[in-house]
Structures are given as structure tokens and as C-alpha cells.
Amino acid sequence: MDGYCAVLSGQFDVGCGPVEVAQILVQAQGLPLVLHYGYVVPAGSSVEGIAQQYNTSRDTLLRLNNLTSPNDLKADAILDVPLRACSSEVRNTSQDYPLLVPNGTYVFTANNCVRCNCEAANNWILQCESSSLINSSCRPVQCEGQENFYLGNTSFSGCNRRTCAYAGYNLQNILTTLDLQSTCPASSSIGLQGSRWNFLLISIHVMLICLPFLKRVAIFLM
């Protein structure tokens, strides 16, 4: 996104882009997080072009902005553009809650000691790391309860992954949490159950085929 670089606690850095209005809205539970971006429409723009630029649809922009048709778009108007944001582990007691960062952007938070970025390729999960290499006044953040494991570190055990995730900050500390995710293939229990049913059906079928023969054997033995 040209000219856009960061958002922190609902406030955009106007030095990064043509931002006049910004509003944060969290969607209903279970739906993607969305940040509503106040976009100043340049002369010569089209609804289709803006929708393509911000990975949304023409109909969504028309509906959000109460536009009857694309021809109603006016230069210098402020257009409500929804941007999908990454989910995070930031606690609701943190000073930067809610920390919503749109796809393809980054933000410095926790007094500029933590850098978080959002990429759709990372399953829409916010990725954060210590910015101690950039800001010498900041120290690396050790993951809570973990020795030699720091904010942003990831390790694997088999097909299980653990990550030291950012959980917010308060006046004294930067908070972390251990995020555990499984990358193991889906359980094959359903497949095994299906195999058992197939075996049972085949067994019944074989018994039905053999039943006349068994009857003749029984009559002969009598």
C-alpha cells in the first residue's frame, strides 16, 4: 500500500500516508478482524481501482459508503475502506489493545521496543519481535517462564510449533505468552472408522454368500 506504513492503538501516523480519518472496528466473534481506513480519494480514482488496491470488492465499498453507483465517487472525499487485520495474543488490559495491524504493514509498540508485522502468508497471525537491534535503549524480551527463548523465537518438536508471542505491555513490563500450534496432518481416526465399517460389511457379505453352503453342511452332518 503506497505511503502507508503503520498503525498504533487506533492512531495512524499521518506522515506515512494521506490519512485524515481512521476508525477501528472489531467484527463479531468468529469473523476476521477489520480495521476501517479513511482514504482520501485522489482525483481520477475509481471505485474499482481502490477496491483492487486494498483487496476488497466494489460492492463492499459502495455499501459501506452509501454510494448508489461508482459514478457517485468524488475527489477529496473520505472513503471508508475495510482492511483485514491480523489476530494477536494482545491482552485487553494492555496499553496498546486492540493492536490491529493490516496486511502488509508493520507497527512499533511498547515504547518502540517491539516491532509487529502482519502478513496474510502467516495465516493472519501477528508476528512480533524485539526491536532492540534498532532501538539500543530496549532489551531483548525473554518469553515468560522460558529459558533462552525470546519474543519472536520459534521452535519445532516433531510437527508441533511453539512461538513466543507478544501479549501487550504495561508501565513496568512487556508481556509475552507461549503460543503452541500443531502442524501435524489431520487425524486419521475418521479414516480408521471407515476402514472398520468396510471390514464389517465385507465380513457380513462373505457370511451371506457362505450361508447356503453352511446349511448344506449342517443337513449332511445331521
Side-chain angles (χ1 to χ4, degrees), residues 34-37 54-56 60-61 64-65 80-84:
V34 173
L35 183 147
H36 287 255
Y37 173 46
Y54 290 99
N55 195 30
T56 186
T60 297
L61 291 182
L64 282 178
N65 294 278
D80 181 354
V81 179
L83 305 177
R84 183 171 175 181

Side-chain angles (χ1 to χ4, degrees), residues 97-134:
Y97 177 86
L99 182 59
L100 299 182
V101 184
N103 180 38
T105 66
Y106 66 89
V107 62
F108 285 95
T109 186
N111 298 317
N112 293 327
C113 287
V114 174
R115 182 184 186 276
C116 299
N117 71 285
C118 173
E119 297 291 342
N122 291 323
N123 295 321
W124 295 99
I125 298 174
L126 195 65
Q127 307 292 315
C128 299
E129 61 184 0
S130 171
S131 58
S132 56
L133 295 178
I134 301 173

